[in-house]
Amino acid sequence: FQLQESGGDSAQTGGSLRLSCAPNGYYGVFCMAWFRQAPGMEREAVASIDTVGTTTYADSVKGRFTISKDSAGHTMFLQMDSLKPEDTGTYYCAADSLASDCYSDSWRSAVRMDYWGRGLAVTISS
C-alpha cells in the first residue's frame, strides 16, 4: 500500500497550489491527512478528512487551505490559496488506519499515521 503524491513546486506570496494524494494498492477506511515540515522544524498537522468528508484544519491554514476527496473517496487533495512564505516546507500525505482518530485531536499527532507519502516540496517566495 502506497500513497502517491503530486503537485506542489513553487509560488509567490498570495498565489495558489494544489496537491494530490492517491492510494495505490489498497482502498480501506482511513483518516486521511496532510502534514508539513519546514527545515529544522517538527512535522506538523495541516488538515484532515474523514470517511464521510468531514474536515479539520490547523489554525495556521484555516480559511486558506481546503482539503477534499474525489467522488470515489480515494484521491485526496489540498488546495492551498493565499499562500505565505511560512507555508514553505515539505508536504506529506498520510493515512491513519484508525478512522476514528479523525473525530478527535489524535490525527494531529504524526505518530498516529500508519502510511506516508514521500513528500512534496513547496516553496513560497515573497
Side-chain angles (χ1 to χ4, degrees), residues 2-118:
Q2 295 179 329
L3 295 172
Q4 296 183 324
E5 301 148 322
S6 61
D9 201 0
S10 61
Q12 292 188 327
T13 297
S16 298
L17 288 172
R18 183 176 172 88
L19 310 182
S20 300
C21 171
N24 181 17
Y26 175 70
Y27 297 127
V29 178
F30 299 103
C31 172
M32 301 290 294
W34 289 98
F35 285 74
R36 68 185 181 187
Q37 188 167 18
M41 305 293 285
E42 291 188 357
R43 194 168 298 189
E44 64 170 346
V46 174
S48 71
I49 186 166
D50 71 6
T51 56
V52 295
T54 302
T55 59
T56 310
Y57 297 91
D59 288 343
S60 59
V61 305
K62 203 172 292 184
R64 300 188 299 120
F65 290 11
T66 304
I67 188 172
S68 62
K69 288 183 179 179
D70 66 1
S71 57
H74 301 313
T75 300
M76 179 175 68
F77 306 97
L78 185 68
Q79 178 66 38
M80 305 188 293
D81 299 316
S82 301
L83 285 162
K84 303 176 181 180
E86 50 263 45
D87 294 320
T88 293
T90 301
Y91 283 69
Y92 297 90
C93 167
D96 181 349
S97 299
L98 188 60
S100 61
D101 277 353
C102 263
Y103 308 133
S104 68
D105 280 342
S106 296
W107 73 271
R108 300 178 190 271
S109 174
V111 298
R112 302 289 296 188
M113 297 294 141
D114 300 298
Y115 304 98
W116 291 91
R118 297 181 66 179

